[in-house]
Amino acid sequence: IMAADQEDESLRRYKEALLGAAQAEKIIVDPNDPRKVIVKKLALVVEGRDDMELDLTGDLSQLKKQLFVIKEGVQYKVRIDFIVQREIVHGLKYVQKTSRLGVTVDKMKHMVGSYPPKKEIQFYLTPAEEAPSGTFSRGTYSVSSVFTDDDKHIHLEWDWTFEIKKDWA
């Protein structure tokens, strides 16, 4: 990547900024993990409350058993923590399909961006969303999430559950 377009000064500086330390060394955080993107956790972020987190490094089949409770009408964001290793990743996307009683009620797709390899955890925070409110919106929802990229590599797929209630309790 660095060798291409050397005559274009602004493009060269952009690539240097994008690649950072990865230009000098091959960054490998976990030599036993061949993936380029290691998704660590998903968090529901609500202002004034502790983040509700899902650990995405263990047995993903157990995630459906954990139940997030969300107060109806509250503003929330989704944060995804991940590590990029080995090489740059282009066009990361987060796609989430939400269903209730087997019917898809929402589908969102967020362009996360391109990321260089780094030893530190990187994250993406979605724009604020408002949880549905009202008697008919209360209940349990199933979510299917996918973290993918422009090259159609699926870095992680997982299912999880949340419940909308009148209050946090």
Side-chain angles (χ1 to χ4, degrees), residues 8 15 20 24 33-34 36 40 45 47-48 72 81 88-89 102 113 127 129-130 139 159 161:
D8 186 335
K15 289 190 277 187
D33 193 331
K36 290 192 293 185
K40 295 295 214 174
V45 179
E47 193 172 319
E72 65 181 356
D81 295 349
I88 193 169
V89 179
E129 305 253 344
E130 184 174 325
D159 295 322
T161 308

Side-chain angles (χ1 to χ4, degrees), residues 9-161:
E9 181 66 21
S10 64
L11 185 57
R12 185 185 60 73
R13 283 195 313 269
Y14 168 73
K15 289 190 277 187
E16 286 173 359
L18 183 63
L19 288 173
Q23 1 174 19
E25 63 177 308
K26 188 165 184 104
I27 295 178
I28 300 175
V29 176
D30 184 351
N32 298 320
D33 193 331
R35 297 178 295 173
K36 290 192 293 185
V37 178
I38 303 169
V39 185
K40 295 295 214 174
K41 72 174 88 162
L42 175 136
L44 281 177
V45 179
V46 177
E47 193 172 319
R49 296 188 61 84
D50 290 341
D51 294 351
M52 297 174 276
E53 298 181 343
L54 282 179
D55 180 1
L56 300 174
T57 60
D59 182 359
L60 298 178
S61 67
Q62 297 301 307
L63 295 178
K64 281 192 133 181
K65 295 177 184 173
Q66 293 181 350
L67 187 67
F68 282 147
V69 172
I70 301 174
K71 180 180 174 183
E72 65 181 356
V74 76
Q75 292 280 323
Y76 69 94
K77 297 177 183 179
V78 175
R79 187 188 76 232
I80 302 165
D81 295 349
F82 58 94
I83 291 176
V84 176
Q85 65 175 5
R86 304 187 190 281
E87 57 189 77
I88 193 169
V89 179
H90 298 283
L92 280 174
K93 292 181 199 72
Y94 173 62
V95 181
Q96 173 179 301
K97 184 176 87 173
T98 305
S99 304
R100 182 162 182 219
L101 303 172
V103 177
T104 300
V105 293
D106 185 42
K107 185 170 184 180
M108 63 182 198
K109 182 186 223 178
H110 292 283
M111 183 51 120
V112 176
S114 298
Y115 289 82
K118 280 188 181 177
K119 292 180 180 171
E120 303 81 29
I121 289 180
Q122 303 182 69
F123 71 92
Y124 173 74
L125 190 63
T126 67
E129 305 253 344
E130 184 174 325
S133 60
T135 305
F136 295 111
S137 65
R138 293 182 204 134
T140 303
Y141 293 79
S142 299
V143 183
S144 295
S145 294
V146 179
F147 208 52
T148 185
D149 64 29
D150 281 348
D151 295 328
K152 308 281 188 259
H153 294 117
I154 294 177
H155 299 289
L156 193 66
E157 282 184 275
W158 68 98
D159 295 322
W160 51 289
T161 308

